[in-house]
Amino acid sequence: MDQETLDNLIALLKKSLTETKIIIKQLEEQSKPIAPDNAIGRLSRMEALNTKTVSEQSLNAAKLKLNKLIFAQKQLDNGDYGCCIECSDEIPLARLELIPESTHCMNCIDKSSKKT
Ligand SMILES: [Zn+2]
């Protein structure tokens, strides 16, 4: 991997990290406990609860992504970035550009998806 490609991926990682942090903040606001407020009707409370569930699921996904992004940054520091943590093969560049926080090569993803 040449320096220009690496710089490009580092920029993608940073951008994704910033975006994910913003998303988490927004979702945390939305997943705050809903007060049993009589001022809002029964129906809108149901709607609020539905929104809360969706927000919590998205929040968990966003937190998982954030962890992966932080891990990818550590790999960058160690010089291990772009290598599969399972078999140390290089992760295809096209995949890294799409998902900069990728930790596994396609082979290992295939294997683990067949296991489950
Ligand atoms: Zn692998």
Side-chain angles (χ1 to χ4, degrees), residues 54-74:
V54 173
S55 300
E56 276 170 352
Q57 283 167 354
S58 312
L59 183 62
N60 285 337
K63 280 183 176 169
L64 205 71
K65 186 176 174 179
L66 185 69
N67 281 338
K68 284 185 173 183
L69 286 164
I70 291 168
F71 182 76
Q73 283 203 318
K74 275 186 197 153

Side-chain angles (χ1 to χ4, degrees), residues 84 87 105 108:
C84 173
C87 69
C105 69
C108 291

Side-chain angles (χ1 to χ4, degrees), residues 28-59:
E28 270 174 350
E29 288 291 317
Q30 285 170 27
S31 335
K32 273 183 185 163
I34 300 159
D37 191 346
N38 290 330
I40 57 169
R42 189 181 153 77
L43 194 67
S44 53
R45 183 165 161 74
M46 290 292 283
E47 277 170 9
L49 282 170
N50 274 338
T51 309
K52 186 176 175 323
T53 308
V54 173
S55 300
E56 276 170 352
Q57 283 167 354
S58 312
L59 183 62

Side-chain angles (χ1 to χ4, degrees), residues 76-89:
L76 269 172
D77 289 340
N78 297 335
D80 294 333
Y81 182 69
C83 293
C84 173
I85 56 167
E86 197 81 28
C87 69
S88 328
D89 261 9

